[in-house]
């Protein structure tokens, strides 16, 4: 056996390396100035993200360390989403850092940046080991961030819950990955794919029995990260307890990371076993059932919530259900619609959470009824919230509408071309039906803000970072709702990096 | 002769593992449970050595027997009055949990036995297990190895933030 350092191309890894170093700079700066700099630390963190984004664009495609670091269109697209989510999460944290975590500002921002580095590593690894390490680097800072209000019982509870669930799900995922390694003899996803197919031929489908077990473990492990029912119970409690920007980051960044892992391991790695003819190996229909459960449960339970963070938690469970429709309609449009969906979801959800965070900083309340009559006293804030919620509900001409449209179109197209995929019609039907429920609870918040007799006691004045984040969200929601072509064009390269052959 | 010796050792280890694992979840004194946990993990390391997985055995002893157990014992000692109290180890869901775990175990064993596809082992034991792993970590798997250090740093910063007392 030869031991050789693979060609490592560290330059291709420059965005990650830079962001990691920048996180250290942020901590050191905060310590060096004896934590007396006010918002400067936060602006420093934002600057780091912007520079990383620029470096990322100039670095472009390429690979290093074999397949362990592979900057393909999928990686690039997800990295932009991670950076955007991180930017918006940090931007909506300024009120928080002024009041509650004044002693740990630097660490707070640095941990968000560390988590972002982990997501970026994850999205560009095509190898099980580095993918797993990337996932851990994503979640471990988030455990700490969820428990960041040390004196707040709910926050500590959220941190502990997330830690236990996260550790448990990582163990399940790792167990599944070890089975994959045992069957294929390699951790390289592309090689694993080939080896599994060879083994499959050799044993005439006998591999299926152990593969079902493997797929169950992988689905459970990733399902926890995605909060896909029945692995969703942690999400509402953790979102409610953790600092609001962190809840936002969990619901977009961490979820997008989970989706990237899903696309890499399941869609790309177990591609050969996504075959309705070989019924025992067909994991697609299983994921379809989970997606249906997510849409129904998320949307129905969200109606009964009185806390807006819990409502958004259930709504994000439902949104993952819609995303999974695109994932299991196994065609090119499906994969690019998934990417577009997350992109649109990022703007709308981060925007909605930014409004909630801002409102919470000023008033200390997360109850929906506190928003009563807000439209008269703070018209811009209410209008922004209404737009974000309508985009989440999927109302044209906002980006959320097109996202849902593409996902459903992909499913219908696949169901139409292949008779074995007829169950996708059911999925689309459930999706359309539950969208109505979704509209109900989103509209309920809008009704509370706009159409109520009593006046709001709060008169809120924007702060610069919060306004920036909300404006970014608004621009994204409107711009990509009216003009989705550039994003869809970019996203249409993604199926190729998941092993789809495009004609 | 050697074969018989090996299997005798295996059964002794298996017996110790099962008895000590049961002791962990049934004893009334939490400190005794922790000590039996150490014994259990140590015997598992013995099994790893029998399987010629020296690296795994060393990691097991260092991480579980060393670090994790010490942590548990410290946690018990620092928690007031916990070491002497008699604790209740189970609740009304114990039976359900037992059957769920049993089902998982049986399914796993059956599936692993039924599957004849673990054909990527060459059948020859690598002579220098630890050396191979070390060399691979420094060559082919350099990237994850380095990213782990970033992970450690993030975890350390997080731990300090959570554990440090804030001055008002």
């Amino acid at each position: 056996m030869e031991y050789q350092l693979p060609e490592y191309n560290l330059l291709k890894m420059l965005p990650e390396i830079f962001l990691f170093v920048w996180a250290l700079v942020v901590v050191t700066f905060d310590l060096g100035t004896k934590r007396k700099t006010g918002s400067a630390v936060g602006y420093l963190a934002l600057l780091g993200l912007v520079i990383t984004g620029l470096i990322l664009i100039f670095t472009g495609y390429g690979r290093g360390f074999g397949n362990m670091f592979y900057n393909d269109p999928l990686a690039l697209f997800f990295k932009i989403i991670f950076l955007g989510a991180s930017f918006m999460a940090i931007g909506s944290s300024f009120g928080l850092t002024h009041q509650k975590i004044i002693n740990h500002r630097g660490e707070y921002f640095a941990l968000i940046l560390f988590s972002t580095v982990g997501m970026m590593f994850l999205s560009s690894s095509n190898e099980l080991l580095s993918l797993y390490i990337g996932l851990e680097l994503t979640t471990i800072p988030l455990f700490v961030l969820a428990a960041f209000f040390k004196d707040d019982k709910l926050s500590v509870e959220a941190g502990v819950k997330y830690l236990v669930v996260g550790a448990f799900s990582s163990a399940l995922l790792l167990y599944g990955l070890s089975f994959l390694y045992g069957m294929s003899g390699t951790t390289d996803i592309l090689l694993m794919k080939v080896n599994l197919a060879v083994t499959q031929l050799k044993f005439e489908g006998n591999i299926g029995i152990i593969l079902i077990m493997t797929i169950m473990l992988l689905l459970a492990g990733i399902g926890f990260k995605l909060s896909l029912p029945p692995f969703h119970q942690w999400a509402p409690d953790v979102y409610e307890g953790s600092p609001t920007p962190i809840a936002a980051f969990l619901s977009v960044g961490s979820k997008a990371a989970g989706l990237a892992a899903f696309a890499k391991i399941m869609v790309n790695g177990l591609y050969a076993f996504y075959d309705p003819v070989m019924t025992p190996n067909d994991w697609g229909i299983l994921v379809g059932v989970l997606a249906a459960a997510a849409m129904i449960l998320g949307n129905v339970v969200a109606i009964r919530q009185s806390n807006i963070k819990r409502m958004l938690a259930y709504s994000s469970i439902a949104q993952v259900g819609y995303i999974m429709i695109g994932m299991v309609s196994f065609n090119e449009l499906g994969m690019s619609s998934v990417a577009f969906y997350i992109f649109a979801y990022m703007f709308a959800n981060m925007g909605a959470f930014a409004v909630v965070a801002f409102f919470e900083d000023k008033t200390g309340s997360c109850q929906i009824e506190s928003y009563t009559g807000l439209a008269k006293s703070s018209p811009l804030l209410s209008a922004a919230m209404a737009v974000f919620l309508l985009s989440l509900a999927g109302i044209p001409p906002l980006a959320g509408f097109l996202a849902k449209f593409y996902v459903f179109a992909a499913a219908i197209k696949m169901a139409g071309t292949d008779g074995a995929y007829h169950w996708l019609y059911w999925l689309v039907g459930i999706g359309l039906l539950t969208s109505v429920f979704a509209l109900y609870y989103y509209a309920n918040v809008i009704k509370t803000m706009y159409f109520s007799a009593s006046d709001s006691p709060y008169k809120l004045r924007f702060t610069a970072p919060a306004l920036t984040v909300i404006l970014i969200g608004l621009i994204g929601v409107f711009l990509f709702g009216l003009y989705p072509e550039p994003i869809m064009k970019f996203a249409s390269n993604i199926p190729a990096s998941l092993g789809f052959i495009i004609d | 002769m050697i074969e018989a010796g090996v299997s005798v050792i295996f059964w002794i280890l298996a017996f110790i593992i099962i008895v000590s694992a049961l002791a962990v979840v049934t004893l009334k004194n939490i400190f005794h449970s922790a000590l039996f946990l150490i014994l259990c993990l140590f015997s598992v390391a013995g099994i790893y050595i029998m399987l010629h997985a020296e690296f795994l055995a060393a990691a097991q002893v260092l991480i579980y027997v060393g670090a994790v157990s010490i942590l548990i014992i410290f946690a018990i000692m620092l928690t007031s009055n916990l070491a002497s109290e008699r604790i209740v180890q189970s609740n009304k869901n114990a039976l359900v949990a037992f059957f769920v775990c049993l089902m998982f175990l049986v399914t796993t064993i059956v599936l692993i036995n039924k599957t004849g596809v673990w054909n990527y082992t060459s059948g020859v034991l690598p002579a220098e297990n630890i050396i191979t792993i070390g060399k691979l970590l420094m060559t082919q798997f350099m990237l994850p190895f380095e990213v782990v250090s970033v992970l450690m740093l993030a975890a350390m910063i997080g731990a300090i933030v959570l554990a440090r007392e804030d001055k008002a």
Side-chain angles (χ1 to χ4, degrees):
Chain A
M1 201 169 183
E2 271 184 60
Y3 301 100
Q4 265 185 351
L5 198 60
E7 203 178 329
Y8 44 82
N9 281 337
L10 277 182
L11 273 182
K12 291 290 168 201
M13 232 175 278
L14 199 60
E16 283 82 1
I17 296 172
F18 176 81
L19 195 59
F20 165 61
V21 173
W22 197 265
L24 298 181
V25 169
V26 168
V27 180
T28 324
F29 175 78
D30 192 37
L31 285 175
T33 54
K34 303 212 185 310
R35 306 187 186 277
K36 290 208 173 74
T37 44
S39 304
V41 197
Y43 286 116
L44 198 67
L46 289 182
L47 180 70
L49 287 169
V50 173
I51 301 176
T52 312
L54 292 177
I55 298 176
L56 185 66
I57 291 166
F58 284 111
T59 316
Y61 303 137
R63 65 160 93 189
F65 287 100
N67 275 330
M68 285 192 194
F69 191 89
Y70 197 165
N71 250 344
D72 49 11
L74 174 102
L76 212 57
F77 195 95
F78 272 88
K79 280 178 189 180
I80 291 168
I81 291 174
F82 298 144
L83 288 175
S86 183
F87 187 92
M88 290 170 86
I90 289 180
S92 46
S93 298
F94 280 77
L96 200 81
T97 51
H98 266 305
Q99 300 160 14
K100 293 190 180 165
I101 49 168
I102 204 140
N103 285 323
H104 298 295
R105 260 193 231 114
E107 290 89 333
Y108 176 86
F109 292 124
L111 284 172
I112 296 184
L113 296 186
F114 278 130
S115 185
T116 315
V117 173
M119 292 173 188
M120 290 168 74
F121 264 117
L122 177 147
S123 69
S124 53
S125 66
N126 268 330
E127 199 264 349
L128 298 179
L129 201 59
S130 47
L131 191 137
Y132 179 74
I133 300 284
L135 199 61
E136 286 302 289
L137 183 54
T138 307
T139 45
I140 285 182
L142 288 173
F143 299 151
V144 181
L145 288 167
F148 221 87
F149 299 154
K150 286 187 282 181
D151 303 328
D152 183 350
K153 230 172 150 184
L154 273 178
S155 175
V156 174
E157 185 193 329
V160 172
K161 258 186 192 159
Y162 192 41
L163 171 70
V164 172
V165 169
F168 185 64
S169 66
S170 289
L172 288 180
L173 182 67
L174 199 57
Y175 199 16
L177 294 182
S178 72
F179 274 129
L180 277 184
Y181 174 62
M183 280 184 284
S184 62
T186 175
T187 55
D188 185 327
I189 290 179
L190 302 177
L191 197 61
M192 179 186 95
K193 202 162 133 175
V194 178
N195 284 1
L196 280 180
V198 170
T199 321
Q200 170 87 353
L201 274 182
K202 206 157 129 198
F203 286 84
E204 290 159 0
N206 201 6
I207 190 175
I209 304 166
I210 194 72
L211 201 62
I212 295 172
M213 176 93 181
T214 311
I215 285 170
M216 292 290 179
L217 288 167
L218 293 175
L219 276 185
I222 305 176
F224 271 116
K225 311 275 177 215
L226 292 176
S227 63
L228 201 62
F231 314 110
H232 67 282
Q233 283 99 337
W234 60 273
D237 291 348
V238 171
Y239 285 19
E240 188 189 0
S242 48
T244 310
I246 299 307
F249 195 51
L250 274 175
S251 74
V252 177
S254 161
K255 236 164 230 193
L259 286 166
F262 186 92
K264 277 167 186 295
I265 300 175
M266 303 298 287
V267 178
N268 194 4
L270 298 173
Y271 169 83
F273 306 96
Y274 190 104
D275 187 353
V277 184
M278 294 188 295
T279 3
N281 294 334
D282 183 15
W283 53 266
I285 197 155
L286 194 64
V287 178
V289 171
L290 295 187
M295 290 184 292
I296 296 170
L297 187 135
N299 282 326
V300 171
V301 182
I303 294 175
R304 293 184 52 229
Q305 302 304 319
S306 59
N307 182 309
I308 195 150
K309 276 160 84 178
R310 283 188 85 86
M311 189 204 88
L312 285 172
Y314 280 107
S315 118
S316 80
I317 291 172
Q319 302 281 349
V320 170
Y322 294 112
I323 296 175
M324 288 327 251
I325 298 181
M327 208 66 117
V328 294
S329 11
F330 205 56
N331 54 9
E332 283 121 51
L333 184 59
M335 295 306 139
S336 32
S337 70
V338 165
F340 185 81
Y341 201 113
I342 307 165
F343 194 70
Y345 171 70
M346 173 187 86
F347 287 112
N349 211 41
M350 292 306 292
F353 267 110
V355 174
V356 174
F358 178 70
F359 189 79
E360 191 190 2
D361 289 335
K362 298 281 171 186
T363 67
S365 169
C366 278
Q367 297 300 314
I368 293 177
E369 57 188 29
S370 315
Y371 287 75
T372 308
L374 197 66
K376 273 176 217 147
S377 57
S378 324
L380 181 59
L381 191 72
S382 314
M385 187 65 169
V387 168
F388 294 139
L389 291 179
L390 288 175
S391 177
L392 284 174
I395 301 293
L398 303 169
F401 165 73
L402 277 178
K404 279 203 175 69
F405 175 78
Y406 285 134
V407 166
F408 290 152
I412 289 172
K413 195 176 156 203
M414 195 61 191
T417 47
D418 191 337
Y421 284 94
H422 266 314
W423 52 272
L424 280 174
Y425 282 130
W426 281 96
L427 217 50
V428 173
I430 294 171
L432 288 172
L433 192 70
T434 51
S435 299
V436 181
F437 289 116
L439 189 59
Y440 175 79
Y441 61 80
Y442 291 130
N444 186 35
V445 178
I446 298 171
K447 194 193 94 193
T448 314
M449 291 190 300
Y450 279 87
F451 307 107
S452 75
S454 54
D455 281 336
S456 173
Y458 309 115
K459 194 152 177 63
L460 308 177
R461 292 191 52 138
F462 272 116
T463 53
L467 187 66
T468 317
V469 171
I470 290 171
L471 281 181
I472 292 175
L474 282 177
I475 293 171
V477 165
F478 275 112
L479 181 67
F480 300 117
L482 296 168
Y483 186 56
E485 278 83 9
I487 301 301
M488 271 315 267
K489 199 162 169 241
F490 186 22
S492 65
N493 296 318
I494 289 177
S497 46
L498 287 173
F500 286 78
I501 297 139
I502 300 177
D503 357 273
Chain B
M1 190 58 212
I2 293 172
E3 287 287 310
V6 167
S7 65
V8 166
I9 294 173
F10 171 78
W11 287 110
I12 292 174
L13 281 175
F15 180 74
I16 297 176
I17 290 172
I18 291 175
V19 169
S20 56
L22 281 175
V24 172
V25 292
T26 49
L27 285 181
K28 297 282 180 217
N29 186 318
I30 197 167
F31 194 73
H32 293 169
S33 291
L35 292 178
F36 273 106
L37 183 66
I38 297 175
L39 181 63
C40 176
L41 295 170
F42 208 75
S43 321
V44 173
I47 298 264
Y48 287 148
I49 289 182
M50 291 180 65
L51 293 171
H52 294 269
E54 291 93 355
F55 179 77
L56 211 53
Q60 171 89 1
V61 172
L62 280 177
I63 296 168
Y64 285 99
V65 182
V68 174
S69 307
I70 297 292
L71 199 68
I72 291 175
I73 288 175
F74 262 99
I76 294 171
M77 293 198 314
L78 292 176
T79 315
S80 54
N81 292 333
L82 194 60
S84 58
E85 260 174 58
R86 294 167 67 78
I87 50 159
V88 184
Q89 285 252 26
S90 60
N91 60 14
K92 59 182 192 301
N93 291 328
L95 206 64
V96 183
F98 175 74
F99 278 111
V100 170
C101 293
L102 195 69
M103 255 164 59
F104 184 74
L105 181 70
V106 170
T107 320
T108 319
I109 291 172
V110 168
L111 287 182
I112 291 176
N113 278 329
K114 266 196 144 181
T115 309
V117 295
W118 313 101
N119 60 336
Y120 278 93
T121 49
S122 54
V124 187
L125 282 172
E128 295 158 323
N129 210 312
I130 299 178
I131 297 175
T132 313
I133 291 176
K135 281 182 176 164
L136 279 176
L137 271 184
M138 277 300 162
T139 52
Q140 201 186 334
F141 292 94
M142 184 83 171
L143 179 68
F145 183 73
E146 293 296 336
V147 178
V148 166
S149 58
V150 178
L151 175 68
M152 301 281 244
L153 183 67
M156 218 145 64
I157 292 177
I160 291 170
V161 169
L162 288 185
R164 227 186 101 179
E165 210 168 326
D166 283 348
K167 278 167 285 185

